[in-house]
Coordinates of all heavy atoms in Angstrom, one line a residue:
K40 N 66.1 -42.2 -1.6 CA 65.9 -40.8 -1.9 C 64.9 -40.2 -1.0 O 65.0 -39.1 -0.4 CB 65.5 -40.6 -3.3 CG 64.9 -39.2 -3.7 CD 64.3 -39.2 -5.1 CE 63.0 -39.7 -5.2 NZ 61.8 -38.8 -5.0
N41 N 63.7 -40.9 -0.8 CA 62.6 -40.3 0.0 C 62.8 -40.4 1.4 O 62.0 -39.9 2.2 CB 61.3 -41.0 -0.5 CG 60.9 -40.6 -1.9 OD1 61.5 -39.7 -2.4 ND2 59.9 -41.3 -2.4
A113 N 59.5 -31.9 -3.1 CA 59.9 -32.2 -1.7 C 60.5 -31.0 -1.0 O 60.7 -31.0 0.2 CB 60.9 -33.4 -1.7
I138 N 51.9 -36.6 -12.0 CA 51.1 -37.7 -11.5 C 49.9 -37.3 -10.8 O 49.1 -38.2 -10.4 CB 52.0 -38.7 -10.6 CG1 52.5 -37.9 -9.4 CG2 53.1 -39.3 -11.4 CD1 53.3 -38.8 -8.4
R141 N 48.1 -33.2 -6.3 CA 49.0 -33.2 -5.1 C 49.0 -31.9 -4.2 O 50.0 -31.2 -4.1 CB 50.5 -33.5 -5.5 CG 50.6 -34.9 -6.2 CD 52.0 -35.2 -6.6 NE 52.7 -35.7 -5.5 CZ 54.0 -36.0 -5.6 NH1 54.6 -35.9 -6.8 NH2 54.7 -36.5 -4.6
P142 N 47.8 -31.7 -3.6 CA 47.7 -30.5 -2.8 C 48.5 -30.7 -1.4 O 48.9 -31.8 -1.1 CB 46.2 -30.5 -2.4 CG 45.7 -31.8 -2.6 CD 46.5 -32.5 -3.7
I143 N 48.7 -29.6 -0.7 CA 49.4 -29.7 0.6 C 48.5 -29.2 1.7 O 49.0 -28.7 2.7 CB 50.7 -28.9 0.6 CG1 50.6 -27.5 0.2 CG2 51.7 -29.6 -0.3 CD1 51.8 -26.6 0.7
D144 N 47.2 -29.3 1.5 CA 46.3 -28.8 2.5 C 46.5 -29.4 3.9 O 46.3 -28.8 4.9 CB 44.8 -29.0 2.0 CG 44.5 -30.5 1.8 OD1 45.2 -31.0 0.9 OD2 43.6 -31.1 2.4
Q145 N 46.9 -30.7 3.9 CA 47.1 -31.3 5.2 C 48.3 -30.8 5.9 O 48.3 -30.7 7.2 CB 47.2 -32.9 5.0 CG 45.9 -33.5 4.4 CD 44.7 -33.3 5.3 OE1 44.8 -33.7 6.5 NE2 43.7 -32.6 4.8
H146 N 49.3 -30.5 5.2 CA 50.5 -29.9 5.8 C 50.1 -28.6 6.5 O 50.5 -28.3 7.6 CB 51.6 -29.5 4.8 CG 52.0 -30.7 3.9 ND1 53.4 -31.0 3.7 CD2 51.4 -31.6 3.2 CE1 53.5 -32.0 2.9 NE2 52.3 -32.4 2.5
M190 N 44.0 -38.1 5.2 CA 44.5 -39.3 4.6 C 46.0 -39.4 5.0 O 46.6 -38.4 5.3 CB 44.4 -39.2 3.0 CG 45.4 -38.3 2.3 SD 45.3 -36.5 2.6 CE 43.8 -36.2 1.8
P191 N 46.5 -40.6 5.0 CA 47.9 -40.7 5.4 C 48.8 -40.1 4.3 O 48.7 -40.5 3.1 CB 48.2 -42.3 5.4 CG 47.0 -42.9 4.9 CD 45.9 -41.9 4.6
T192 N 49.5 -39.1 4.6 CA 50.4 -38.4 3.6 C 51.8 -38.5 4.1 O 52.1 -38.2 5.3 CB 50.0 -36.9 3.3 OG1 51.2 -36.1 3.1 CG2 49.3 -36.3 4.5
V193 N 52.7 -38.9 3.2 CA 54.1 -39.2 3.7 C 54.8 -37.9 4.0 O 55.3 -37.7 5.2 CB 54.9 -39.9 2.6 CG1 56.3 -40.2 2.9 CG2 54.2 -41.3 2.2
T194 N 54.9 -37.0 3.1 CA 55.6 -35.7 3.4 C 54.9 -34.9 4.4 O 55.5 -34.1 5.2 CB 56.0 -34.9 2.1 OG1 54.8 -34.8 1.3 CG2 57.1 -35.6 1.3
T333 N 52.7 -47.2 -4.5 CA 52.4 -46.6 -5.8 C 53.7 -46.4 -6.6 O 53.7 -46.4 -7.9 CB 51.7 -45.3 -5.6 OG1 51.6 -44.6 -6.9 CG2 52.3 -44.3 -4.6
D334 N 54.8 -46.2 -5.9 CA 56.1 -46.0 -6.6 C 56.7 -47.2 -7.3 O 57.7 -47.2 -8.0 CB 57.2 -45.4 -5.6 CG 56.9 -44.0 -5.2 OD1 56.0 -43.4 -5.9 OD2 57.5 -43.5 -4.2
V356 N 46.4 -44.2 -5.0 CA 47.1 -43.1 -4.2 C 47.1 -41.8 -5.1 O 46.7 -40.7 -4.6 CB 48.5 -43.5 -3.9 CG1 49.2 -42.4 -3.2 CG2 48.5 -44.8 -3.0
F357 N 47.4 -41.9 -6.3 CA 47.4 -40.7 -7.2 C 46.4 -40.8 -8.3 O 46.2 -41.9 -8.8 CB 48.9 -40.5 -7.7 CG 49.8 -40.0 -6.7 CD1 50.8 -40.9 -6.3 CD2 49.7 -38.8 -6.1 CE1 51.7 -40.5 -5.3 CE2 50.6 -38.4 -5.1 CZ 51.6 -39.3 -4.7
R360 N 48.3 -41.6 -12.6 CA 49.6 -42.2 -12.6 C 49.7 -43.3 -13.6 O 50.3 -44.3 -13.3 CB 50.1 -42.6 -11.2 CG 51.5 -42.5 -11.1 CD 52.1 -42.8 -9.7 NE 53.5 -42.4 -9.6 CZ 54.2 -42.5 -8.6 NH1 53.8 -43.0 -7.5 NH2 55.5 -42.0 -8.6
L399 N 59.5 -39.9 -12.7 CA 60.5 -40.8 -12.3 C 60.2 -42.2 -12.4 O 61.0 -43.0 -13.0 CB 60.8 -40.4 -10.8 CG 61.8 -41.2 -10.0 CD1 63.2 -41.2 -10.7 CD2 62.0 -40.6 -8.6
R400 N 59.1 -42.7 -11.9 CA 58.9 -44.1 -11.8 C 58.4 -44.6 -13.2 O 58.7 -45.8 -13.5 CB 57.9 -44.5 -10.7 CG 58.3 -43.9 -9.4 CD 59.7 -44.3 -8.9 NE 60.0 -43.6 -7.7 CZ 61.2 -43.7 -7.1 NH1 62.2 -44.5 -7.6 NH2 61.5 -43.0 -6.0
Ligands
EPU505 N1 47.3 -35.4 -0.3 C1 46.4 -34.4 -0.2 N2 46.7 -33.4 0.7 C2 47.9 -33.3 1.3 C3 48.8 -34.2 1.1 C4 48.6 -35.3 0.3 O1 45.3 -34.5 -0.7 O2 48.0 -32.3 2.0 C5 47.1 -36.6 -1.2 C6 48.0 -36.6 -2.4 O3 47.5 -35.8 -3.5 C7 47.9 -38.1 -2.8 C8 47.9 -38.8 -1.4 O4 47.4 -37.8 -0.5 O5 46.8 -38.4 -3.5 C9 49.2 -39.3 -0.9 O6 50.2 -38.4 -1.1 P1 51.5 -38.2 -0.2 O7 51.3 -36.9 0.5 O8 51.7 -39.4 0.7 O9 52.7 -38.1 -1.2 P2 53.9 -37.2 -1.1 O10 54.3 -37.1 0.3 O11 53.8 -35.9 -1.8 C10 55.7 -39.1 -1.2 C11 56.8 -39.5 -2.1 C12 56.3 -39.9 -3.4 C13 55.4 -41.1 -3.3 C14 54.2 -40.7 -2.3 C15 53.3 -41.9 -1.9 C16 58.6 -38.1 -1.2 C17 59.5 -37.0 -1.4 N3 57.7 -38.4 -2.2 O12 55.0 -38.0 -1.9 O13 57.4 -40.4 -4.2 O14 54.8 -41.5 -4.5 O15 54.8 -40.3 -1.0 O16 54.0 -43.0 -1.4 O17 58.7 -38.8 -0.2 C18 58.7 -40.7 -6.2 O18 59.7 -40.9 -5.4 O19 58.7 -40.9 -7.4 C19 57.5 -40.2 -5.6 C20 56.5 -39.6 -6.3

Side-chain angles (χ1 to χ4, degrees):
K40 166 186 80 86
N41 287 350
I138 62 177
R141 301 181 78 181
I143 56 161
D144 55 301
Q145 297 299 303
H146 303 230
M190 77 289 292
T192 147
V193 177
T194 50
T333 172
D334 288 347
V356 178
F357 290 110
R360 213 177 192 181
L399 175 55
R400 309 305 171 184

